[in-house]
Amino acid sequence: MRCRFNDRIYENSENGYCIAIFWTADPSIPLEARKKDASTGSCFIACGYHIPLSENADVELEGSWVTHPQYGLQYKVESSMEIVRKTKEGIIGYLSSGTIKGVGRKLAEAIYARFGMESLEVIEKAPERLLSIRGISERKLEEIKEAFQKNQAFRELMTYLAPFDITPSQVQKILLEFGPQSMQIATTRPYQLCTIKGFGFLTVDEIARKCCAALNDPMRISCCIAYVLTQASKNGHLYLTQETLVEQVMETLNHNLKNPVVSHRDIQNVLYRLSLQNSIVVEKQRIYEARLYEAETETARMAVRHLLDKLPGVEHIDSAIKQAEQALAIQLSPSQIKAVRMVFENTVSIITGGPGTGKTTVLQVILYIQKLLCPGEIQLMAPTGRAARRMAESTGVMEASTMHMAMGLISDEEFCEEFQYLSADFFNVDEFSMVDMRLAYEFFSRLKGGVRVVMIGDVDQLPSVGPGDVFRQFIQSGLIPVTVLDFVYRQTQGSRINSNATLIKKNKTNLQFGEDFQFIETKGAVETAEVVNRLYLQEVSASDTDSVQVLSPYRVKLASGVSQLNETLRELVNAKGKHTEEIKVTGRTFRSGDKIIQTKNTDLVSNGDMGTIQSLHQDAEGEWKAEIGFSDNRIVTYGKEQMENIELAYATTIHKSQGSEYPVVILPWIKAFYGMLKRNIFYTAITRAKAKVIIVGERNAIYQAIHTDDSGKRNTALSEKMLGFYKEYNKGSQGQEPEQLKLAV
């Protein structure tokens, strides 16, 4: 049906969905769909993705009539194609509309003056003829050709993929990856889309089914295997057992099918081929992604190698400890003295303990003695910027870096081009419980021989967000010397935060409540959110937004989740004023004055850094910029693209809070958080508070969390492999690494 755009009703700039009024002379329009009549045609409502809304062109629509319960009969568009009207104004208007980058009104008029009604055909089929127009150079011609071709390819591909909730940025990724073959791949070989970051198997599988792809296609099975292993890694697992993997792949591939078409044999055959291609590794019926197998195996090997390194002993360590105590005006407990001795008697060691147990005090003494008796460079590091800065501030002796920065890991996926060993002779890594398998591998692979490594952390906290359970596995191996600090120093004697943290670790529910540890009982997510909002405003009024942090285990879905809490909390403390600047980025609105958190490592800002948007403005070219101030007095300028890596932080997830401390923590805790009601999550949340915890929610949810021990349940064989390498190296053998078992097919 050929139509002409009349008026815009709704348009979503993020996903391209729009509702608009179109005019057509087509007499087949149903009477109940006609919004107003004219002597030459009728108007109707059309809805769909990326329908051209240009006044300078007609559009050909294909689709079907559907009835909306409120708005009546509408035309649901499945595909659309822009048709430039064969008039002077139509062609000039289209060329200068911005559709073809680099062609403005003046150049459009010049093109029409030369080629008239054939202008678009010339651009499409004989673009070199444009060189005869003054102002169009070879370079300009290439820009016009590229823009014209990209626009056509983008619109065609976007129209085809929009019903599957594919965004414009994802379509751009496809075009960047596959170029002119993009449409052909999307329609005939869609599973290749799984190779592009951001394209999940389930979405691609839906596209493929539209193409009538064979449901037992080996490519489909292969992509599903990758999907299942990726989902497992997101849940912290380094591998799945062969039985579990096959069952999950079977269930996914045959979902909603009356007669299953993919068999165990089909999956086993694909697994065998993937193992031959080294895409997966099979070891003792454990199936790994190849990169995670390498990370686990090599980290085990390297950690044992460093553990067996021999360093010169540190003489007169006891007198050095006494000298450090006098210089720093502190007195160590017997367990703290043991920790210091252990560090200087071994190349690799671990210090663990809960909040306030004196880990920082021990580190101060260790650093004092290291500088006093051991020449060489010292490197302090932590997984997050906040943890690194807190370590530097608390020790008061030197700077600390994030592990990413120290190792040249610019972002979570990107490294500096040149691999370099870390130059220091002494390493302290704080908050090591946050280190995942991949980061541990990068760290140990950059250590030169003969260095001393100290890992400090709280083994009862949440494990890393990424896959693996490195800190706990290092301890469970029994190979690395460990000192446990369990006496609380940080807060005043009788602090309920620390005494309750100890009770929680011991699976006890007789928590003590008072001014510094409060519980306010509510029912359901909505009432809980309302109380959290009231308490937040009350606490912020007595201090500031930096001193009060709301933590929630869930990001979305509930009124007490992070996303909805952020919106309501912002309106309480940073409501939009008459002169407040706002900017919308990927569907989220930011204002000057907003509290934000960085969600991705970059070369300037670390994942987890919190700051405040100090100003929003447009530069001379009309591009939006944000000036964001961080806690260490850094001011960083963000463009709109960089702002995709931040989110509001009046409330954050408990996982995001690791490595941080706040004077006051407000914690919604209800049974609707059932998947997150676990001891280590609850423990991590309350131990983020330095002075006060306020729990809002349901008592039974607290009991369930305390009684649910989820620690040590990730699929990992790191400690097992460490023991294997230790046994091998202790025999003085340089033999082969543990043998892989072949996959049984």
Side-chain angles (χ1 to χ4, degrees):
M1 176 170 52
R2 186 156 179 164
C3 314
R4 185 172 299 172
F5 170 67
N6 183 274
D7 195 12
R8 182 184 283 102
I9 297 176
Y10 168 81
E11 185 174 11
N12 186 320
S13 59
E14 298 302 323
N15 64 15
Y17 183 78
C18 59
I19 305 171
I21 298 174
F22 284 85
W23 173 91
T24 182
D26 192 327
S28 66
I29 300 294
L31 291 175
E32 58 269 35
R34 301 181 185 187
K35 297 304 174 186
K36 56 183 179 179
D37 294 324
S39 59
T40 56
S42 302
C43 288
F44 65 97
I45 293 177
C47 57
Y49 293 89
H50 294 275
I51 306 172
L53 304 180
S54 172
E55 296 178 357
N56 299 303
D58 289 348
V59 59
E60 188 74 31
L61 301 180
E62 289 187 9
S64 58
W65 294 101
V66 295
T67 302
H68 189 280
Q70 185 176 353
Y71 302 110
L73 200 61
Q74 300 178 347
Y75 196 67
K76 184 179 179 181
V77 178
E78 295 178 0
S79 65
S80 60
M81 182 174 66
E82 197 169 39
I83 303 169
V84 180
R85 292 193 291 276
K86 291 287 189 171
T87 66
K88 176 181 179 181
E89 283 307 313
I91 292 173
I92 293 175
Y94 175 77
L95 291 176
S96 61
S97 65
T99 301
I100 304 175
K101 189 177 179 181
V103 178
R105 181 79 186 185
K106 187 175 180 180
L107 189 53
E109 289 174 347
I111 293 173
Y112 181 82
R114 178 63 57 87
F115 301 112
M117 297 298 180
E118 297 180 356
S119 296
L120 296 180
E121 285 80 357
V122 168
I123 295 175
E124 181 179 3
K125 299 176 181 178
E128 65 280 355
R129 293 177 63 189
L130 295 176
L131 291 171
S132 63
I133 298 175
R134 185 177 180 183
I136 298 184
S137 61
E138 291 279 0
R139 182 177 176 182
K140 187 73 170 179
L141 175 63
E142 289 303 315
E143 291 177 358
I144 293 172
K145 285 166 57 179
E146 184 179 1
F148 190 80
Q149 291 165 1
K150 279 186 176 180
N151 181 60
Q152 286 186 317
F154 176 84
R155 177 161 292 159
E156 182 183 15
L157 195 57
M158 189 72 244
T159 300
Y160 181 75
L161 295 177
F164 304 102
D165 294 327
I166 301 298
T167 65
S169 61
Q170 287 178 301
V171 170
Q172 294 288 11
K173 286 182 180 179
I174 297 173
L175 292 168
L176 188 64
E177 180 73 18
F178 299 117
Q181 293 184 312
S182 296
M183 191 64 187
Q184 182 185 6
I185 286 172
T187 54
T188 62
R189 303 193 301 278
Y191 289 108
Q192 288 192 33
L193 299 179
C194 289
T195 61
I196 303 175
K197 185 179 179 181
F199 282 81
F201 169 77
L202 297 181
T203 298
V204 173
D205 196 42
E206 188 179 354
I207 296 169
R209 290 193 182 197
K210 180 180 178 181
C211 305
C212 300
L215 296 180
N216 62 350
D217 182 345
M219 186 69 173
R220 180 175 186 246
I221 298 172
S222 175
C223 289
C224 188
I225 290 169
Y227 164 74
V228 170
L229 287 175
T230 299
Q231 291 302 112
S233 71
K234 288 180 179 179
N235 291 323
H237 302 302
L238 293 177
Y239 67 83
L240 288 177
T241 64
Q242 184 173 338
E243 180 182 0
T244 300
L245 175 63
V246 171
E247 288 300 326
Q248 290 186 13
V249 171
M250 276 277 292
E251 182 180 347
T252 303
L253 293 176
N254 292 320
H255 184 64
N256 286 337
L257 295 177
K258 290 183 180 180
N259 299 310
V261 296
V262 180
S263 67
H264 281 73
R265 182 75 179 183
D266 293 331
I267 298 170
Q268 293 280 8
N269 287 336
V270 173
L271 283 171
Y272 181 69
R273 283 196 291 270
L274 290 174
S275 68
L276 293 178
Q277 297 165 4
N278 295 321
S279 297
I280 62 170
V281 176
V282 184
E283 180 188 67
K284 299 180 180 178
Q285 295 300 305
R286 299 186 290 241
I287 299 182
Y288 294 80
E289 291 181 63
R291 62 187 181 88
L292 292 180
Y293 174 81
E294 180 186 16
E296 182 182 66
T297 305
E298 287 302 298
T299 300
R301 183 185 63 79
M302 293 184 291
V304 170
R305 282 288 197 193
H306 284 289
L307 189 65
L308 294 175
D309 270 353
K310 300 299 181 184
L311 289 176
V314 177
E315 298 181 357
H316 311 298
I317 186 66
D318 288 333
S319 61
I321 291 173
K322 291 180 180 179
Q323 183 177 337
E325 287 179 314
Q326 291 177 351
L328 300 172
I330 57 177
Q331 184 173 354
L332 299 179
S333 69
S335 62
Q336 289 175 316
I337 292 174
K338 177 185 174 184
V340 176
R341 286 181 181 146
M342 175 194 67
V343 166
F344 290 101
E345 290 171 356
N346 299 277
T347 52
V348 183
S349 56
I350 289 174
I351 300 172
T352 184
T357 54
K359 298 190 295 293
T360 299
T361 301
V362 170
L363 179 57
Q364 287 177 311
V365 172
I366 290 170
L367 294 176
Y368 182 92
I369 295 173
Q370 175 70 22
K371 293 168 70 175
L372 179 71
L373 301 179
C374 306
E377 182 184 347
I378 298 173
Q379 173 77 65
L380 303 185
M381 58 175 69
T384 69
R386 288 176 67 83
R389 283 189 290 277
R390 186 160 54 85
M391 177 169 47
E393 291 166 2
S394 60
T395 57
V397 293
M398 60 190 304
E399 293 183 354
S401 168
T402 65
M403 296 180 74
H404 286 78
M405 293 290 187
M407 297 187 295
L409 181 56
I410 298 173
S411 68
D412 294 325
E413 302 293 336
E414 181 184 358
F415 288 89
C416 289
E417 291 184 5
E418 186 177 347
F419 176 91
Q420 289 185 338
Y421 284 99
L422 293 165
S423 60
D425 303 285
F426 178 94
F427 294 90
N428 179 84
V429 187
D430 201 9
E431 298 289 355
F432 204 89
S433 63
M434 298 174 66
V435 175
D436 64 19
M437 194 71 260
R438 180 174 178 266
L439 194 57
Y441 167 74
E442 299 297 346
F443 173 64
F444 278 95
S445 67
R446 284 165 170 74
L447 295 181
K448 60 186 182 182
V451 300
R452 183 167 277 122
V453 178
V454 183
M455 295 169 281
I456 299 179
D458 184 351
V459 74
D460 295 303
Q461 278 191 40
L462 283 168
S464 57
V465 174
D469 197 0
V470 180
F471 195 46
R472 184 180 298 275
Q473 287 281 297
F474 275 169
I475 294 172
Q476 289 182 354
S477 73
L479 297 176
I480 301 176
V482 179
T483 301
V484 179
L485 304 177
D486 53 14
F487 183 81
V488 176
Y489 297 89
R490 179 193 295 164
Q491 289 139 327
T492 58
Q493 288 289 79
S495 163
R496 294 181 184 87
I497 296 174
N498 285 296
S499 61
N500 285 335
T502 301
L503 289 171
I504 291 167
K505 288 195 294 184
K506 294 179 178 180
N507 192 24
K508 295 182 178 180
T509 58
N510 56 326
L511 305 183
Q512 303 170 14
F513 299 102
E515 181 60 30
D516 61 345
F517 200 99
Q518 302 177 23
F519 172 62
I520 299 174
E521 194 156 11
T522 57
K523 289 185 178 180
V526 175
E527 182 186 346
T528 300
E530 291 172 352
V531 174
V532 167
N533 293 337
R534 174 172 57 80
L535 291 170
Y536 181 81
L537 187 58
Q538 177 182 311
E539 293 293 332
V540 167
S541 299
S543 54
D544 54 58
T545 56
D546 289 336
S547 301
V548 185
Q549 188 62 51
V550 176
L551 301 178
S552 175
Y554 270 153
R555 179 177 300 279
V556 293
K557 297 181 181 179
L558 296 170
S560 297
V562 168
S563 297
Q564 292 191 41
L565 283 171
N566 266 321
E567 295 299 327
T568 53
L569 294 173
R570 174 174 54 185
E571 295 308 316
L572 293 174
V573 296
N574 191 33
K576 180 173 171 54
K578 190 174 183 180
H579 302 292
T580 305
E581 292 285 0
E582 281 191 343
I583 183 174
K584 182 170 281 191
V585 181
T586 60
R588 298 167 298 158
T589 300
F590 295 102
R591 294 176 189 155
S592 54
D594 272 341
K595 181 179 180 180
I596 61 91
I597 186 170
Q598 177 81 6
T599 60
K600 184 178 180 180
N601 285 309
T602 67
D603 55 349
L604 293 177
V605 189
S606 298
N607 185 2
D609 280 357
M610 281 189 174
T612 302
I613 299 177
Q614 298 188 347
S615 68
L616 287 167
H617 62 275
Q618 288 180 291
D619 62 17
E621 297 179 356
E623 297 291 333
W624 277 97
K625 302 292 182 183
E627 302 294 327
I628 300 181
F630 292 94
S631 57
D632 55 352
N633 298 318
R634 284 177 300 146
I635 305 293
V636 181
T637 300
Y638 280 59
K640 200 168 182 179
E641 184 177 342
Q642 287 75 40
M643 291 187 73
E644 293 180 6
N645 299 326
I646 64 171
E647 58 188 38
L648 296 178
Y650 303 98
T652 65
T653 63
I654 296 167
H655 284 81
K656 280 286 185 186
S657 74
Q658 289 185 88
S660 302
E661 293 177 340
Y662 316 97
V664 179
V665 165
I666 301 174
L667 178 64
W669 202 258
I670 55 178
K671 294 209 74 175
F673 293 153
Y674 56 89
M676 294 289 183
L677 299 181
K678 298 171 182 176
R679 185 186 303 161
N680 54 5
I681 297 178
F682 189 55
Y683 171 85
T684 300
I686 69 166
T687 55
R688 299 309 89 210
K690 292 192 288 186
K692 183 191 290 188
V693 172
I694 307 175
I695 304 170
V696 183
E698 298 163 351
R699 196 178 300 271
N700 285 340
I702 295 176
Y703 295 159
Q704 182 176 335
I706 293 173
H707 290 321
T708 305
D709 183 10
D710 192 47
S711 61
K713 294 183 179 179
R714 293 185 167 189
N715 289 347
T716 172
L718 179 62
S719 62
E720 175 188 316
K721 291 181 179 181
M722 289 176 66
L723 288 166
F725 282 121
Y726 185 80
K727 182 178 180 180
E728 178 183 328
Y729 292 151
N730 250 0
K731 290 180 179 179
S733 170
Q734 299 297 320
Q736 298 178 355
E737 296 175 4
E739 182 181 354
Q740 286 183 224
L741 298 184
K742 291 185 178 180
L743 185 70
V745 178

